[in-house]
Amino acid sequence: MRVNLTDRQQHILWATVRHYIATAEPVGSKALVDEFNLSVSPATIRNAMGTLEKAGLLYQPHTSAGRVPSDSGYRIYVDQLIQPSDTLARKVEQVLDQLNWSDGRMDAALRGAAQILATISGYIAMITIPQTNMACLRHLQLVQLEPGKVMLIVVTDAYETQSVLVQLPRDAEGNTPDVEIVDRQLQILSNFLNSKLRGRSLSELSAVDWSELDRDFELYAEWMGTMLTALSNRQSNPTYTRILIGGLAEALRLPEFSQLQQVQTLVQLLEQEQELLWPLIFESPELETPGKRVTVRIGSENSLEPIRGCTLISSTYRRGSVPVGSVGVLGPTRMVYENAIAVVEAAADYLSEAIGGNRVSFPDGERGRSDHPSLDAP
């Protein structure tokens, strides 16, 4: 949204939003003169506020009251009048760095991170558990179960296992190779695949250069390509993961959450209906605006009824260029936006750097899961 405002109107809108965020009280012209030293008369400020109200950026909750920002007013404030706090961003990075990310307990570290972000921002913090379908391959093994049948076993960097059962290809005469020969060949193939694929995400398993296979193993090329493509395709779409919540009890003490029914529906959404919230928080901001680091949804911009009176600020964190999780804060529209945006940006950057540098592992909540679809490879 772009509204053409004069410098004075921008300054008065900025001051009105700042005052209302700090006090939660409708703002009058005299309060702005006293607090912000605007060097103009209260009458001039009233005229400017009247113009802003006609533009839909301010409104009067009561005829005798001052004015408060509308969702559109907050939108102008966020998009045109503020910059995220660099000081707070540095603080977030420093505090997150004190958590223990190295012992493989990703879930515990992220819970701690969510609580830290809630404490620093003053709002509800949310971090999604990373996408296990974006985990990277740690080890791969081909095992012959019986003549003609082989299982591909994949172990991720979270020690999660997945497997695919396949039928061995036959030679030109239609015969299945000797069992002992197959065992030796499968070991060589396993070594080859490990050297090519270790450290790649499961969604990249089909990207193997088969031209490096020795002529004796050309028989397996199409077979392996089909098997790995099937496993890769299974990982292609993001799937719902848990959202870790921090600061819920503290944030609900804010005056905007004083109505019991409102609190109940919000708590139900956060604790029991996360699958409804997940698409909003996980969506990459770059889908809306290329190069944008955060998504800010203000009030009525939110599609879910329980948070239509709230602001949701979120960003994805990545492994390389692939989004694997998200971080966000949720609070009233009367939010200190420059701080909340800085918290989300810094946390997303920190997690992206940590995961990309292999300082953290993916969650282990699904360790030991094994899938055995049958594929009829040619």
Side-chain angles (χ1 to χ4, degrees), residues 31-341:
L32 297 185
V33 170
D34 294 341
E35 183 174 350
F36 293 98
N37 191 26
L38 297 179
S39 301
V40 294
S41 68
T44 300
I45 294 176
R46 282 195 296 273
N47 288 337
M49 294 178 82
T51 300
L52 294 172
E53 183 175 2
K54 290 178 181 178
L57 307 181
L58 302 178
Y59 70 94
Q60 284 184 291
H62 309 289
T63 54
S64 60
R67 292 173 173 87
V68 300
S70 66
D71 291 348
S72 297
Y74 283 124
R75 172 53 63 193
I76 298 296
Y77 178 79
V78 168
D79 289 348
Q80 302 178 31
L81 305 181
I82 63 169
Q83 291 293 328
S85 169
D86 291 336
T87 301
L88 198 62
R90 288 192 293 271
K91 178 179 179 181
V92 169
E93 293 172 359
Q94 291 169 357
V95 177
L96 289 179
D97 210 32
Q98 297 173 13
L99 293 172
N100 185 1
W101 298 98
S102 60
D103 65 357
R105 297 183 60 201
M106 180 63 137
D107 197 323
L110 288 178
R111 285 186 184 279
Q115 191 57 53
I116 287 171
L117 300 184
T119 300
I120 293 176
S121 69
Y123 308 116
I124 300 166
M126 301 176 289
I127 301 179
T128 66
I129 293 290
Q131 292 281 295
T132 55
N133 60 359
M134 296 301 176
C136 288
L137 185 142
R138 182 183 181 91
H139 183 72
L140 178 152
Q141 190 69 42
L142 291 162
V143 179
Q144 185 174 202
L145 300 180
E146 59 183 73
K149 288 190 177 180
V150 171
M151 180 176 287
L152 168 66
I153 301 172
V154 171
V155 183
T156 72
D157 55 356
Y159 297 96
E160 175 194 27
T161 62
Q162 296 194 35
S163 59
V164 177
L165 185 64
V166 292
Q167 192 76 29
L168 271 177
R170 297 179 181 274
D171 60 21
E173 287 75 34
N175 300 317
T176 300
D178 179 83
V179 171
E180 293 185 4
I181 295 176
V182 169
D183 281 338
R184 291 196 297 270
Q185 291 178 331
L186 291 180
Q187 186 57 55
I188 294 172
L189 278 172
S190 295
N191 294 340
F192 170 79
L193 291 171
N194 276 302
S195 68
K196 289 294 179 184
L197 298 176
R198 185 177 290 113
R200 293 194 186 186
S201 71
L202 297 186
S203 59
E204 299 176 287
L205 286 187
S206 58
V208 182
D209 183 4
W210 298 106
S211 64
E212 296 185 25
L213 276 175
D214 188 271
R215 181 175 300 175
D216 291 340
F217 295 94
E218 288 180 352
L219 174 66
Y220 293 102
E222 185 177 358
W223 171 72
M224 287 299 303
T226 300
M227 179 166 54
L228 291 177
T229 297
L231 191 60
S232 175
N233 289 341
R234 205 190 304 167
Q235 314 301 319
S236 59
N237 297 318
T239 55
Y240 164 73
T241 58
R242 276 186 305 131
I243 302 175
L244 303 177
I245 307 294
L248 178 58
E250 294 82 357
L252 291 181
R253 297 193 183 104
L254 294 169
E256 285 83 357
F257 299 121
S258 60
Q259 296 183 3
L260 180 59
Q261 181 62 37
Q262 179 191 21
V263 170
Q264 289 175 336
T265 57
L266 180 59
V267 170
Q268 181 175 345
L269 174 67
L270 294 174
E271 294 186 347
Q272 301 175 29
E273 299 175 344
Q274 290 189 354
E275 69 279 3
L276 300 178
L277 182 62
W278 193 91
L280 294 183
I281 186 176
F282 188 79
E283 184 177 13
S284 174
E286 294 186 358
L287 294 177
E288 298 180 351
T289 305
K292 190 176 180 181
R293 299 179 64 194
V294 299
T295 296
V296 182
R297 293 185 176 87
I298 301 171
S300 56
E301 297 172 358
N302 288 298
S303 58
L304 297 177
E305 184 62 33
I307 59 172
R308 287 180 67 84
C310 301
T311 288
L312 173 62
I313 300 175
S314 62
S315 183
T316 55
Y317 60 91
R318 300 166 179 264
R319 169 170 274 173
S321 61
V322 180
V324 294
S326 62
V327 56
V329 296
L330 179 70
T333 55
R334 186 183 63 88
M335 175 184 284
V336 185
Y337 286 92
E338 49 267 68
N339 289 355
I341 292 172

